[in-house]
Every structure is written in structure tokens, then in C-alpha cells.
Amino acid sequence: MNLNLNYDLLILIGLAITIASQVAIKTTYNKYQKENNKKNLTGFDTARKILDNNNLRDVLILETSGYLSDHYDPTKKVIKLSSDIYHGTTISSAAVAAHECGHAIQDKENYKPMRLRAKIIPTVNLLSKAGYLAIIIGAIFDYRLMKIGVLLVLSILVFQIITLPVEFNASNRALKQIDKLNILSNNEIKGAQSVLKAAAFTYVASVLTTILQILRYILIADSRRGRR
């Protein structure tokens, strides 16, 4: 009975963290997506200005579909900005575009955590799939197999932890570029900072949720062991 309560509690806490992070980013993003920057620069303009000033003229900026689907592709040297960001002349648009430029600058400077993250992606994908399969089979037949699955799923947590400095560093670079190139005024920079902090919270939330998920699997495995 107590174990079941623990399962439910971990699920609820994880769900609450996920919802809180999503509400935070959407609320903050939407707030500053309604505030135009004084220089009327679009996300594209912001990105192009930062890239050109960092000798990254070869990096393309393309428009992509989706909501907050913005990302930097290091294999193709391309920044993809969602339509709202690409065309938007708001504080949020500038902040998000600058953040993706932060990743491009990391790539140029061979930022080690970024390189490490890219290298382990195939391994993490393989281990996590095998881990979840082992957990499902182990939950039915053998708790020992389930514990092996938990160890494999830890690869996801490692990946997420490595991702944290990559994202935080990209945001720090973004704010420095915004300030250095006078893209936003001082008051507007505070808004951009709020947007990037909210975005960072989603990555922290992912780490916490994964930890809770792993703890839940461990509890289930222990309960299976107790029934043997």
C-alpha cells in the first residue's frame, strides 16, 4: 500500500514539474512576444546580425513550422527559426533567435559539452530503447532484468545533465551578443533574460522528472523482489 502511494506521489510530482515548466515558458514567451523591440528587428535580423559579427556568414537561417521549434543544426550549419520568431519583431523573437546563435558560436569554438552531447546521442538512443524494453519485460518476469533496464535508462539522465551547461551557456552568449551589438535596450534585455530563464527551467524540469521516473522504477523493482 505504501509502495503504491509512493508510485502515485512520484508520478504526481513529475507531472506537476512538467506542467509548471511548460506554463512558465509559454506564459513568459507569450508576454514578451506581444512587446515589439524598439529597433523593430525581426528574429531573422537579430540572428543574421549576431552571426555576421562572429564571422559565421556561412551559417544559413531558415524558416520552419511549429511552435517554439527553433534549433541549430550543427551538421548542416543551419539555424531554423519558427515563423513567429523568424518574422517577429518582438523581445521574445530576439531572445530565441540569439539563443540559437549562441549554439552556432559554441559550434565554431568547439565547446566541449556540445561536442560530447552530439557524440553520445546514438548511444543514448540505443541504450534508452533497450532499457525501457528491459523494464517492461522485467516488471512482468524478473526484477533483476528490470534493474538492468533502469541502469540503461540512466543514459537519458546523463544526456540531460550534459545538456544543461550547453543550454545555459548558449543563453549567456545570447545575452552578451544582444548587449554588445545593441540589439535591445536595457529594459528589453531584462525581458529577453526572463524568456531565456523560463526556457532553461524546462531543461531543469526534464532532469528532475527523469530522476523521479528512475526512482519509481527502482521502487517497482524492489517491490517485485519482495514478492519472490
Side-chain angles (χ1 to χ4, degrees):
M1 183 67 177
N2 287 335
L3 281 175
N4 287 334
L5 286 175
N6 287 333
Y7 299 159
D8 294 340
L9 182 59
L10 291 175
I11 292 172
L12 289 173
I13 293 174
L15 183 61
I17 291 173
T18 300
I19 292 174
S21 67
Q22 291 303 312
V23 169
I25 182 59
K26 288 181 180 179
T27 301
T28 308
Y29 170 80
N30 289 337
K31 175 183 177 181
Y32 291 103
Q33 190 64 356
K34 295 175 183 176
E35 295 187 21
N36 288 322
N37 61 71
K38 292 178 182 177
K39 294 194 175 180
N40 209 39
L41 294 174
T42 64
F44 173 85
D45 295 333
T46 297
R48 191 71 272 162
K49 189 171 185 178
I50 293 174
L51 293 174
D52 290 350
N53 276 274
N54 284 275
N55 295 317
L56 289 168
R57 294 178 180 83
D58 58 326
V59 175
L60 297 177
I61 307 166
L62 302 178
E63 182 178 358
T64 189
S65 58
Y67 176 76
L68 290 177
S69 54
D70 315 87
H71 62 281
Y72 170 67
D73 185 342
T75 61
K76 298 179 180 178
K77 308 301 180 186
V78 171
I79 287 178
K80 294 187 178 181
L81 301 177
S82 56
S83 296
D84 286 348
I85 300 299
Y86 189 94
H87 298 287
T89 57
T90 66
I91 294 173
S92 283
S93 294
V96 174
H99 175 85
E100 300 311 327
C101 290
H103 286 308
I105 297 171
Q106 287 176 335
D107 188 20
K108 175 191 174 185
E109 297 181 357
N110 290 311
Y111 184 61
K112 289 183 180 178
M114 185 185 195
R115 290 280 179 262
L116 177 60
R117 183 176 70 170
K119 285 181 180 178
I120 69 172
I121 286 176
T123 303
V124 171
N125 286 337
L126 179 63
L127 292 179
S128 60
K129 288 178 182 177
Y132 282 122
L133 181 61
I135 287 171
I136 292 170
I137 296 173
I140 300 171
F141 298 107
D142 192 333
Y143 77 92
R144 287 168 293 190
L145 181 59
M146 190 175 183
K147 286 201 168 183
I148 292 173
V150 171
L151 290 175
L152 295 176
V153 170
L154 278 172
S155 62
I156 296 175
L157 181 60
V158 172
F159 176 79
Q160 290 175 333
I161 290 173
I162 292 172
T163 294
L164 290 180
V166 176
E167 296 301 328
F168 292 159
N169 180 266
S171 290
N172 287 335
R173 290 173 187 267
L175 292 170
K176 286 179 181 178
Q177 290 296 315
I178 286 172
D179 184 36
K180 177 182 175 182
L181 301 175
N182 295 313
I183 292 170
L184 299 176
S185 67
N186 288 335
N187 286 336
E188 290 172 338
I189 288 176
K190 290 179 181 178
Q193 200 169 26
S194 296
V195 172
L196 295 177
K197 280 183 178 180
F201 179 42
T202 63
Y203 292 100
V204 175
S206 294
V207 170
L208 295 176
T209 301
T210 299
I211 291 173
L212 291 171
Q213 186 183 56
I214 289 171
L215 288 174
R216 178 172 174 266
Y217 290 146
I218 291 172
L219 284 173
I220 293 173
D222 286 341
S223 70
R224 295 291 186 273
R225 180 182 182 182
R227 294 174 187 174
R228 287 177 62 85

